[in-house]
Amino acid sequence: MSASSASISDPAYLRARAMETLFERLEKLCEGAIAIDRGGRVVYVNEKYLAALGLKRTSEAIGRPIEEVIPNSLMRKVAETGEPILLDIMELGGEQLVVTRMPIEDENGTVIGAIGFVLYDHLESLKPLLARVAQLESDLRLARRQLSNARAARFTFADYVGTTPGIAQAKQLASARGAAERHRAAHRRDRNGQGDAGAGDSQCLLACG
């Protein structure tokens, strides 16, 4: 087996090459890229990003705090927490940019900085995707309302389907209890009505006497 074949079958080598290839592809396809160190200072910016940043040369950004180059940048937060911000909309120079921000780690997994890519510099191209997301959110809200209404519906034993002795007995018991409750309620109404009438008769007798 040749050295080249051995390296191709080596998982560590493949992972390293995958990371390099991913960066190279993103750097070529994106509208801009910038990286900072752990202290939040710019260590890299590609040529395509200079115009959007209002710069003429990459040397104008290198070594400067990221906030001086991109006001209100969240790159420092990513470098400090190690948590990526995979998709975000950032306003820069009056334009809205779709960006992604990821931490940079060394071979031991320690965060040593962060890198950001401008995926789109015009939201017009994303309108079909945003419309689809909005439709999915609307469908989800409708499904939640329907589920909530279904849960709120009231059911009785009569709604249950089944002919086993246990279900039949439960239905009979529920029916008997319901009839008893209705009878007691009617009896209370009758008693209350008679009480009011009796009081009225007493008042009439007193007044007439």
Side-chain angles (χ1 to χ4, degrees):
M1 182 181 294
S2 65
S4 177
S5 299
S7 61
I8 291 176
S9 62
D10 180 15
Y13 171 80
L14 287 175
R15 182 177 183 276
R17 283 303 305 150
M19 293 300 101
E20 292 177 14
T21 302
L22 175 62
F23 174 78
E24 291 169 359
R25 296 297 183 188
L26 276 176
E27 204 269 345
K28 288 179 181 178
L29 294 173
C30 73
E31 303 297 331
I34 192 167
I36 63 172
D37 61 16
R38 189 73 169 80
R41 295 189 175 276
V42 178
V43 296
Y44 166 80
V45 59
N46 69 353
E47 296 283 345
K48 289 190 291 185
Y49 209 3
L50 294 179
L53 297 174
L55 305 175
K56 294 182 179 180
R57 296 178 297 275
T58 58
S59 58
E60 296 178 32
I62 302 301
R64 293 172 61 187
I66 184 62
E67 292 82 7
E68 290 185 6
V69 180
I70 304 177
N72 303 316
S73 171
L74 297 178
M75 292 279 288
R76 186 186 296 272
K77 178 182 178 181
V78 174
E80 291 176 349
T81 65
E83 296 294 329
I85 303 175
L86 297 180
L87 200 61
D88 193 17
I89 296 178
M90 179 183 74
E91 186 168 341
L92 181 65
E95 294 188 2
Q96 291 184 320
L97 311 177
V98 179
V99 301
T100 183
R101 309 178 185 92
M102 294 174 287
I104 302 173
E105 300 178 351
D106 62 15
E107 60 275 8
N108 298 317
T110 302
V111 177
I112 58 175
I115 187 166
F117 296 96
V118 179
L119 302 179
Y120 297 95
D121 57 358
H122 298 288
L123 293 185
E124 290 294 325
S125 58
L126 289 180
K127 278 190 174 181
L129 176 60
L130 297 176
R132 178 60 176 161
V133 171
Q135 182 61 48
L136 290 174
E137 290 179 344
S138 176
D139 293 344
L140 179 59
R141 287 193 295 269
L142 177 60
R144 285 176 174 170
R145 284 197 300 269
Q146 291 175 341
L147 180 60
S148 177
N149 293 338
R151 288 178 174 173
R154 299 180 63 87
F155 297 95
T156 67
F157 273 102
D159 296 311
Y160 287 94
V161 177
T163 58
T164 64
I167 292 179
Q169 184 177 4
K171 288 183 176 181
Q172 291 176 357
L173 180 60
S175 177
R177 286 181 175 175
E181 287 294 332
R182 290 191 295 273
H183 177 73
R184 284 195 290 270
H187 184 62
R188 284 194 295 270
R189 286 195 299 271
D190 292 342
R191 290 184 60 186
N192 290 337
Q194 291 175 359
D196 292 341
D201 292 342
S202 300
Q203 292 171 0
C204 180
L205 289 173
L206 290 174
C208 292

